[in-house]
Amino acid sequence: MAASSRSERSAGFRKGLVACQIAFSVLLLAAAGLFVRTLTDLRPADYPASERVLLFMMKPQPELYPPPQVRLLTAELVRRVSAIPGVQSAAIAEGGPLASRHWTSPVQVADGSRHEPVLTGWDDVTPGFFKTVGLRFLDGRDFVASDTPGAPHVAIVNEKLARELFGNGNPLGRVIELHRRANESNRYEIVGVVGDSHYQDLRANSDPMLWLTFHDYPPYMSALHVRLSTLRTADAI
């Protein structure tokens, strides 16, 4: 009789344990679904298409790679990765979209037509970056291989920065002054305009943004962005 009672209690405990496991599993599934929905809602319509973009962080040691060698390293890496079957394009950025590090600096029109500077986010990128991450070009040109030390400083801006600096005027060919580091400013000719996009923060509005080349300051730690032709080629890389 006692053995039968213990058996019934054990069976009841097991049933209760199974019920708790099922309830906990349902709770986890609901939480996962809510998480996925939250991520989907966070992604705005103007965010760059990134379903086929892979990221690889790099940190060349400055003791082994002085600035000229860093430039050669990044150019050769992009060339070799771009040649891999299944890779549509590749580029390097000091930060990139939604990077953990981002920078802002005051920017103003160099000819004095607007005296008040605009606080602007900026990033250093290689040619082909906008195509790789999915930022659409509206006017002008991309960076090219000849945008190197010794060549004129050039910049690409987004729509918002162009509007804040020049209103409805054409920004191409205009010169801006960027106070990038303390007690230092450089002038850049605007050669391209890209569409507005959430670049540094999904929850904030699209901010004024500009992009520069690795002209004077090679990246200390950067990200290789690789766009694949299809998702299946990820295994080949």
Side-chain angles (χ1 to χ4, degrees):
M1 190 72 177
S4 176
S5 177
R6 286 196 299 271
S7 177
E8 289 177 358
R9 287 198 299 270
S10 178
F13 176 77
R14 288 195 298 270
K15 290 180 180 178
L17 183 60
V18 170
C20 289
Q21 289 176 332
I22 293 174
F24 186 65
S25 298
V26 172
L27 180 62
L28 286 178
L29 286 174
L34 181 61
F35 177 71
V36 172
R37 181 175 179 180
T38 301
L39 286 180
T40 302
D41 292 341
L42 269 176
R43 178 171 178 169
D46 65 358
Y47 186 69
S50 56
E51 293 83 359
R52 294 182 285 114
V53 178
L54 305 179
L55 299 181
F56 302 89
M57 298 304 299
M58 305 185 305
K59 188 178 180 181
Q61 294 299 319
E63 298 82 7
L64 301 177
Y65 295 95
Q69 289 191 356
V70 172
R71 293 189 184 94
L72 291 175
L73 173 67
T74 56
E76 182 65 12
L77 181 62
V78 169
R79 186 189 69 80
R80 292 193 180 191
V81 172
S82 299
I84 295 175
V87 171
Q88 182 175 329
S89 61
I92 292 176
E94 178 77 10
L98 304 185
S100 59
R101 301 170 301 132
H102 61 270
W103 307 266
T104 56
S105 296
V107 175
Q108 62 190 58
V109 182
D111 61 12
S113 59
R114 177 191 170 102
H115 299 285
E116 185 178 349
V118 177
L119 189 63
T120 304
W122 54 269
D123 200 358
D124 289 321
V125 302
T126 61
F129 170 76
F130 303 99
K131 173 185 176 182
T132 300
V133 300
L135 285 171
R136 57 192 178 93
F137 249 87
L138 301 180
D139 202 359
R141 68 169 176 89
D142 193 358
F143 296 126
V144 294
S146 58
D147 293 324
T148 57
H153 289 73
V154 293
I156 293 172
V157 302
N158 69 351
E159 290 177 279
K160 186 163 187 178
L161 179 58
R163 286 194 302 269
E164 294 203 14
L165 290 177
F166 308 108
N168 295 325
N170 183 4
L172 294 182
R174 301 291 296 271
V175 178
I176 56 176
E177 188 171 358
L178 171 65
H179 301 274
R180 185 166 174 172
R181 286 171 170 78
N183 302 319
E184 174 191 274
S185 64
N186 283 311
R187 295 190 172 192
Y188 298 83
E189 178 186 349
I190 298 175
V191 296
V193 182
V194 298
D196 289 338
S197 173
H198 289 69
Y199 192 83
Q200 296 180 336
D201 190 342
L202 281 178
R203 294 166 294 182
N205 294 326
S206 299
D207 295 322
M209 189 74 195
L210 68 84
W211 292 266
L212 311 170
T213 65
F214 296 136
H215 193 292
D216 296 317
Y217 308 101
Y220 169 64
M221 184 168 66
S222 56
L224 172 66
H225 295 68
V226 181
R227 176 170 289 276
L228 304 177
S229 301
T230 64
L231 288 176
R232 291 183 179 180
T233 53
D235 295 334
I237 298 178

